[in-house]
């Protein structure tokens, strides 16, 4: 995991807003002065600042080589917290939007073989990955599921461009995705990339558990667990000043830092976006995020301070 760097903030304009599936709109964001948008890599996402306390993360799904605009697609979440409703109902072409990023915790590793598995709006980060895999000449397959065909954004576009390597399986026609067959057909060394709702991710993780012939990468929209932060009190030490800050039994590291007047970037506060990633110089974090892989967590050189706590009495942070 690369060290955390200061995130770029951009003021972009909604240049286009299009319906791309039932309940899904895409936004094309451009520089209002006609300049280039920031560079990004497949798997990256941006934060859209949709209000004073409404910041949401959306995967980039456009062309990485197109510096004229950034594209995201947003599913209307009927039972969500209001971010998607603001995109669908309030944003208009010409509106100005504050954007943070891009940032990537779901990067495409080099491989000769990929299996991409998407559930619903989880197709968005996989689209530029597929384009990159195609450019590299890799062998790849996409297994794409959704509740209904009308709600599966970009399915026709993907099938029209790539043909039979794109397997589209709406649940109302085919039932649940046949993940076991797809994985059984994967050659040794296949990199598996999966994004979608939690039941899909959990099923893929279960099937890949214990297998050493494939490597799994997942990106979550929601945290794996929603338990409130709790545990024995501890202290964090800011390496750059030597300042010691206590963290109580029922508060997050982020809350303790902010209460002490320490400026830390944060967004989701659920351990899913990676905005608050902070370097760890000493101590053992109690990782409770849904961003870092098991190997990255085991390295104990960074943590998501919005949810993770400490297994040791003292943590020295790179702050």
């Amino acid at each position: 995991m690369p060290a955390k760097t200061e995130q770029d903030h951009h003021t972009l304009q909604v240049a286009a807003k299009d319906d791309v599936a039932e309940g899904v709109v895409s936004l094309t964001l451009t520089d209002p002065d006609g300049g280039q948008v920031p560079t990004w890599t497949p798997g990256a996402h941006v934060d859209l600042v949709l209000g004073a306390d409404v910041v949401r993360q959306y995967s980039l799904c456009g062309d990485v080589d197109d510096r004229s605009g950034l594209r995201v697609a947003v599913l209307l979440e009927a039972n969500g917290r209001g971010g998607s409703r603001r995109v669908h109902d309030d944003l208009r072409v010409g509106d100005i939007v504050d954007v943070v990023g891009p940032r990537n915790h779901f990067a495409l590793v080099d491989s000769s073989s990929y299996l991409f598995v998407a559930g619903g709006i989880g197709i968005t980060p996989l689209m530029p990955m597929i384009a990159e895999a195609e450019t590299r000449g890799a062998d790849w397959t996409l297994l794409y599921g959704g509740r209904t065909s009308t709600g599966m954004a970009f399915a026709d576009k993907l099938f029209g461009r790539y043909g039979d390597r794109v397997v589209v399986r709406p649940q109302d026609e085919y039932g649940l995705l046949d993940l076991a067959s797809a994985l059984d057909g994967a050659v040794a060394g296949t990199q598996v990339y999966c994004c979608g709702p939690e039941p899909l991710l959990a099923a893929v993780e279960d099937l890949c558990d214990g297998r050493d012939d494939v490597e799994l990468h997942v990106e979550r929209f929601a945290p794996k667990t929603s338990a409130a932060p709790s545990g024995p009190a501890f202290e964090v030490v800011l390496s750059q000043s030597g300042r010691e800050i206590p963290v109580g039994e029922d508060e997050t590291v982020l809350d303790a830092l902010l209460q002490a007047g320490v400026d830390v970037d944060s967004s989701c506060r659920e351990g899913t976006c990676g905005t608050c990633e902070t370097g760890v110089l000493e101590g053992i974090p109690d990782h409770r995020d849904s961003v870092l892989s098991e190997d990255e967590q085991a390295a104990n050189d960074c943590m998501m301070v919005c949810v993770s706590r400490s297994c040791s009495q003292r943590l020295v942070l790179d702050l």
Side-chain angles (χ1 to χ4, degrees), residues 243-314:
R243 187 178 177 189
E244 299 180 358
I245 299 174
V247 181
E249 294 181 355
D250 298 315
E251 69 177 336
T252 67
V253 174
L254 176 62
D255 286 339
L257 292 171
L258 293 177
Q259 186 174 354
V262 181
D263 186 19
V264 181
D265 283 341
S266 65
S267 180
C268 72
R269 291 178 175 257
E270 295 178 328
T272 59
C273 75
T275 303
C276 69
E277 179 185 344
T278 302
V280 177
L281 303 179
E282 294 180 28
I284 303 174
D286 178 7
H287 295 288
R288 303 185 184 188
D289 66 273
S290 302
V291 177
L292 300 175
S293 68
E294 291 184 1
D295 288 342
E296 289 167 339
Q297 290 184 346
N300 288 326
D301 58 3
C302 66
M303 66 185 295
M304 305 302 156
V305 294
C306 69
V307 292
S308 299
R309 291 178 55 82
S310 181
C311 296
S312 54
Q313 182 58 39
R314 185 173 179 267

Side-chain angles (χ1 to χ4, degrees), residues 5-75:
T5 58
E6 183 178 353
Q7 302 301 324
D8 291 331
H9 292 244
H10 310 275
T11 300
L12 301 181
Q13 186 172 39
V14 180
K17 181 179 180 179
D18 302 296
D19 294 319
V20 292
E22 184 177 329
V24 181
V25 298
S26 76
L27 301 177
T28 301
L29 305 170
T30 62
D31 187 315
D33 297 322
Q36 292 186 327
V37 295
T39 58
W40 57 283
T41 55
H45 68 271
V46 292
D47 294 359
L48 299 189
V49 182
L50 302 169
D53 298 312
V54 183
V55 181
R56 297 292 184 269
Q57 295 76 42
Y58 298 109
S59 297
L60 294 171
C61 59
D63 181 353
V64 296
D65 295 321
D66 182 3
R67 298 291 303 283
S68 67
L70 300 175
R71 190 182 192 190
V72 299
V74 180
L75 171 68

Side-chain angles (χ1 to χ4, degrees), residues 58-102:
Y58 298 109
S59 297
L60 294 171
C61 59
D63 181 353
V64 296
D65 295 321
D66 182 3
R67 298 291 303 283
S68 67
L70 300 175
R71 190 182 192 190
V72 299
V74 180
L75 171 68
L76 179 61
E77 298 278 5
N79 298 317
R81 296 173 296 163
S84 66
R85 176 66 66 184
R86 294 199 182 191
V87 171
H88 278 250
D89 294 351
D90 299 337
L91 277 186
R92 299 287 185 267
V93 172
D95 286 352
I96 299 297
V97 181
D98 288 331
V99 177
V100 183

Side-chain angles (χ1 to χ4, degrees), residues 111-116 139 182-183 185-193 213-217:
S111 178
S112 60
S113 179
Y114 300 95
L115 172 62
F116 300 106
D139 182 25
L183 287 165
V187 300
T190 292
Q191 302 292 318
V192 181
Y193 280 83
D213 58 332
V214 299
E215 184 174 356
L216 176 62
H217 313 262

Side-chain angles (χ1 to χ4, degrees), residues 20-24 75 120-121 144-155:
V20 292
E22 184 177 329
V24 181
L75 171 68
I121 199 62
Y144 182 12
R147 290 190 179 92
T148 64
S149 59
T150 57
M152 296 175 66
F154 310 112

Side-chain angles (χ1 to χ4, degrees), residues 12 15-16 35 87 113 123 130 141 145 155 157 161 173 175 185 205 241 246 273 276 279 296 307 315:
L12 301 181
V87 171
S113 179
I123 190 60
I130 289 168
T141 300
K157 174 184 176 181
R161 182 174 181 181
E173 299 177 34
E205 287 177 328
S241 64
C273 75
C276 69
E296 289 167 339
V307 292
L315 281 178

